[in-house]
Amino acid sequence: MVVAAGGGRRIGGPEALLRQGDALLVDSVCEIAREVGCAPLVVVLGAAANQVRGAAALTGTTVVVDKAWGTGLGSSLRKGLEALEDDEADAALVLTVDMPGVTVEAARRVALLPHPGALVCATYDGLRSYPMLLGRRHWAGVATLAKSDVGARPYLLAHKDEIVDIACDAVADGNHLDNPDALTLYGLDRGE
């Protein structure tokens, strides 16, 4: 699952519409998921959803739109998990479009053992972040507790003894796009 719904308030516009070279950032993150073998691939859009659909390739994805995207990551996470309910997937690998330093290698490490009881988080400097692997057994609990901009954090705190942390510092960068300087750092632009 690729969560690409945010409005990018702190960087001047939706992250999904940022370009990294010739590709939209949302398409680059989808490519990471494909290389790891994620299928089906659900993309959750929100801010500027129609514009993103028109500009992005989104090849081989199921696109869902979170109309409540402005309330934060929680609603987008719920929407993505809901879209996977009818699939037979044992687990969902969750990637967010606002972390351009995440690599295929980090995603592979986190997704290594996709089973219904999986609860795996990438860590950077010892702090949990994305990508994240959520086994099917956890989906209902994550969806129930995912509120505002904290995403899965309340569920993870309640199940901290079940989490497998995978250090990804050596293969990825866990920074979020949280200020305009980050655009320069990652070679991103609005393609305008």
Side-chain angles (χ1 to χ4, degrees):
M1 170 192 331
V2 173
V3 179
R9 176 179 44 86
R10 290 173 275 189
I11 59 166
E15 296 97 345
L17 288 171
L18 292 172
R19 290 201 168 278
Q20 193 169 40
D22 292 336
L24 283 180
L25 191 52
V26 65
D27 287 324
S28 297
V29 177
C30 286
E31 187 56 32
I32 289 171
R34 276 190 213 90
E35 285 189 43
V36 173
C38 295
L41 179 51
V42 172
V43 177
V44 183
L45 299 180
N50 288 337
Q51 191 176 353
V52 174
R53 276 187 179 182
L58 301 173
T59 307
T61 68
T62 299
V63 176
V64 294
V65 177
D66 175 16
K67 292 182 179 171
W69 64 268
T71 63
L73 178 62
S75 65
S76 297
L77 193 53
R78 285 192 305 275
K79 193 77 171 170
L81 290 172
E82 178 183 297
L84 288 168
E85 274 300 318
D86 291 337
D87 189 78
E88 295 179 11
D90 287 333
L93 180 68
V94 182
L95 297 152
T96 62
V97 78
D98 72 337
M99 294 178 67
V102 168
T103 62
V104 171
E105 181 58 32
R108 275 195 185 114
R109 286 182 179 193
V110 171
L112 194 58
L113 297 172
H115 59 84
L119 200 53
V120 183
C121 293
T123 65
Y124 306 93
D125 293 325
L127 300 175
R128 290 182 178 132
S129 190
Y130 295 91
M132 193 175 286
L133 184 68
L134 304 173
R136 181 178 283 277
R137 182 171 60 86
H138 299 285
W139 293 359
V142 168
T144 298
L145 295 179
K147 304 287 185 228
S148 63
D149 209 26
V150 295
R153 192 175 311 140
Y155 187 84
L156 295 174
L157 288 172
H159 294 84
K160 62 184 176 201
D161 295 334
E162 298 176 53
I163 300 172
V164 174
D165 291 323
I166 304 293
C168 291
D169 305 271
V171 297
D173 172 348
N175 292 320
H176 292 265
L177 294 175
D178 56 6
N179 64 63
D181 293 338
L183 300 180
T184 303
L185 178 67
Y186 292 102
L188 301 168
D189 64 60
R190 300 214 173 275
E192 301 166 336

